[in-house]
């Protein structure tokens, strides 16, 4: 009877494991824990997803987990004295056959952005990328859209990426929009996929050429006289042409391409 009580007490105390996080995963840790082994106790039924996220790291940032040298998934339970190595997504190494985690290998990227990334959404659209954004979408709705439409959820809120329904997400490190777009192009290797002015910067709809004769909106006569090329959004009907704003945008796009190495 005493032996059973002793075992029960040990179980209640949980198990101690040792974590080591690599590369940019350290961004989510306090300075005193970065690039170091972290020892912590958890309940015996705690999954690695819950254990890792309790330390501040969203599961969407993780590509590979090794427990005592063996690759495991997020549902793997912690075990006494386990040594757990956690790695971020790799840009140039294909670990699909090694890691049981969910890896997005798609060559076509679709995004949904939280309410704080409106300017970044417009920049993505300007470069031709499918970027859903609305300033009134709640976190729960963003997670649903990301899951249902298989979109990469972009946010600066790590808590949003910890939602179980979010399969593909990314924590945007930069705070200024112009550096945020550079970060995304580098992170997702989008430079060769850039196709400027293919989407409406206001609503994300696709743009299609339209002749002057077909334009029914109130475009000033002088604009029709000065320009011969017009594009119309297939969703909201907005008309685009190469006005003075176009040249400013082209300079910005050139800057992006120059710095997207």
């Amino acid at each position: 009877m005493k032996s059973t009580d002793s075992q029960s007490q040990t179980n209640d105390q949980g198990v101690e494991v040792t974590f080591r996080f690599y590369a940019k995963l350290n961004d989510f840790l306090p300075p005193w824990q970065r690039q170091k082994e972290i020892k912590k106790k958890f309940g015996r039924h705690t999954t690695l997803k819950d254990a890792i996220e309790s330390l501040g790291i969203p599961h969407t940032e993780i590509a590979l987990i090794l427990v005592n040298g063996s690759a495991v998934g997020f549902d793997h339970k912690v075990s006494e004295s386990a040594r757990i190595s956690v790695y971020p997504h790799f840009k140039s190494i294909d670990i699909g056959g090694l890691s049981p985690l969910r890896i997005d290998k798609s060559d076509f990227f679709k995004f949904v952005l939280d309410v704080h990334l409106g300017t970044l959404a417009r920049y993505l659209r300007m470069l031709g990328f499918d970027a859903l954004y609305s300033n009134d979408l709640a976190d729960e709705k963003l997670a649903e859209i990301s899951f249902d439409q298989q979109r990469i959820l972009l946010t600066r809120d790590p808590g949003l990426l910890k939602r179980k329904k979010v399969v593909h997400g990314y924590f945007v490190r930069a705070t200024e929009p112009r550096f945020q777009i550079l970060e995304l192009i580098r992170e997702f290797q989008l430079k060769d996929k850039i196709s400027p002015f293919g989407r409406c910067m206001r609503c994300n709809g696709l743009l299609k050429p339209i002749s002057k004769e077909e334009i029914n909106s109130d475009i000033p006569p002088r604009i029709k006289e000065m320009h011969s090329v017009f594009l119309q959004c297939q969703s909201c009907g907005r008309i685009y042409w190469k006005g003075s704003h176009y040249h400013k945008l082209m300079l910005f796009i050139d800057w992006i391409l120059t710095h997207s190495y």
Side-chain angles (χ1 to χ4, degrees), residues 67-83:
V67 175
N68 298 328
S70 298
V72 299
F74 288 120
D75 293 334
H76 188 87
K77 301 293 195 303
V78 296
S79 57
E80 182 63 39
S81 300
R83 299 187 66 83

Side-chain angles (χ1 to χ4, degrees), residues 38 114 132 185:
I38 301 172
D114 76 10
L132 286 185
I185 292 171

Side-chain angles (χ1 to χ4, degrees), residues 93-124:
I93 303 174
D94 183 4
I95 61 170
L98 173 63
S99 175
L101 304 183
R102 296 165 293 191
I103 306 295
D104 183 14
K105 294 183 177 180
S106 173
D107 289 329
F108 177 73
F109 292 96
K110 300 186 298 181
F111 302 95
V112 58
L113 297 85
D114 76 10
V115 296
H116 304 292
L117 298 176
T119 301
L120 177 59
R122 290 192 291 274
Y123 287 168
L124 283 167

Side-chain angles (χ1 to χ4, degrees), residues 119 123 176-183 252 255-256:
T119 301
Y123 287 168
E176 292 187 36
R178 60 174 178 154
F179 293 118
Q180 289 174 342
I181 190 65
L182 285 181
E183 178 182 337
F252 182 45
W255 178 85
I256 292 174

Side-chain angles (χ1 to χ4, degrees), residues 23-210:
K24 62 183 181 179
L25 294 182
N26 286 273
D27 294 346
F28 299 95
L29 298 173
W32 61 88
Q33 288 184 326
R34 294 173 184 171
Q35 309 295 341
K36 298 178 180 178
E37 290 188 345
I38 301 172
K39 293 182 182 292
K40 189 173 180 180
K41 284 191 174 182
F42 298 94
R44 290 183 177 274
H45 300 292
T46 305
T47 64
L48 287 180
K49 178 183 182 298
D50 290 339
I52 291 171
E53 292 191 331
S54 74
L55 295 171
I57 302 174
H59 65 277
T60 55
E61 297 286 314
I62 297 167
L64 176 65
I65 303 174
L66 299 179
V67 175
N68 298 328
S70 298
V72 299
F74 288 120
D75 293 334
H76 188 87
K77 301 293 195 303
V78 296
S79 57
E80 182 63 39
S81 300
R83 299 187 66 83
I84 306 169
S85 302
V86 188
Y87 298 86
H89 292 280
F90 300 93
K91 296 180 183 178
S92 58
I93 303 174
D94 183 4
I95 61 170
L98 173 63
S99 175
L101 304 183
R102 296 165 293 191
I103 306 295
D104 183 14
K105 294 183 177 180
S106 173
D107 289 329
F108 177 73
F109 292 96
K110 300 186 298 181
F111 302 95
V112 58
L113 297 85
D114 76 10
V115 296
H116 304 292
L117 298 176
T119 301
L120 177 59
R122 290 192 291 274
Y123 287 168
L124 283 167
R125 294 168 180 173
M126 175 184 69
L127 299 179
F129 296 106
D130 187 343
L132 286 185
Y133 170 82
S134 178
N135 61 9
D136 60 356
L137 290 177
D139 287 356
E140 182 178 356
K141 185 61 176 179
L142 288 167
E144 289 179 1
I145 292 174
S146 176
F147 180 81
D148 293 339
Q149 300 184 23
Q150 296 185 1
R151 291 179 177 272
I152 299 172
L153 176 55
L154 302 178
T155 181
R156 283 191 43 77
D157 178 8
L160 177 52
L161 296 178
K162 293 178 183 179
R163 289 175 175 263
K164 191 172 183 179
K165 206 164 191 178
V166 179
V167 179
H168 305 301
Y170 178 73
F171 177 77
V172 181
R173 272 76 168 172
T175 56
E176 292 187 36
R178 60 174 178 154
F179 293 118
Q180 289 174 342
I181 190 65
L182 285 181
E183 178 182 337
L184 290 185
I185 292 171
R186 293 167 181 167
E187 178 67 25
F188 294 103
Q189 300 180 2
L190 299 177
K191 186 173 183 179
D192 293 339
K193 301 178 178 66
I194 291 175
S195 180
F197 310 121
R199 288 187 176 273
C200 178
M201 292 179 65
R202 181 171 65 181
C203 79
N204 196 47
L206 291 172
L207 300 184
K208 180 181 178 182
I210 184 174

